[in-house]
Amino acid sequence: YQLRCEAAFRQILFRIIAGETVEKAKYFLNGTELSLHEIAELCGFSSEFHLSRVFKQLNGIPPGQYRGKREI
């Protein structure tokens, strides 16, 4: 039981922290022409690949596709 609670807590904490960080990334994707590498650095990700993985996990689409949607 305790292990399940700890795992659930970690998942909730991850979603809160990652969600705030991804919202910051969305701001840069919408308002700048910064590269994914630059955005990842500004948001505290270890690489643009890590940003892309977390972004897609939370939003269902990768950041490049998200950025492309605003240009339509």
Side-chain angles (χ1 to χ4, degrees):
Y1 173 77
Q2 183 179 357
L3 291 176
R4 279 189 280 160
C5 287
E6 288 174 8
F9 176 75
R10 280 193 301 272
Q11 188 174 27
I12 291 167
L13 189 59
F14 166 79
R15 289 201 175 274
I16 291 169
I17 294 169
E20 290 176 4
T21 307
V22 166
E23 286 302 313
K24 187 176 178 182
K26 284 181 178 181
Y27 168 80
F28 289 121
L29 288 165
N30 284 326
T32 72
E33 294 302 319
L34 294 171
S35 70
L36 286 180
H37 178 80
E38 292 168 315
I39 293 171
E41 275 189 7
L42 289 169
C43 294
F45 287 96
S46 58
S47 69
E48 64 267 29
F49 304 108
H50 186 215
L51 166 61
S52 294
R53 186 171 52 94
V54 173
F55 193 98
K56 185 174 182 180
Q57 183 179 3
L58 295 177
N59 293 291
I61 59 172
Q65 189 176 347
Y66 175 86
R67 177 179 261 171
K69 283 187 156 198
R70 71 177 169 96
E71 296 173 358
I72 296 174

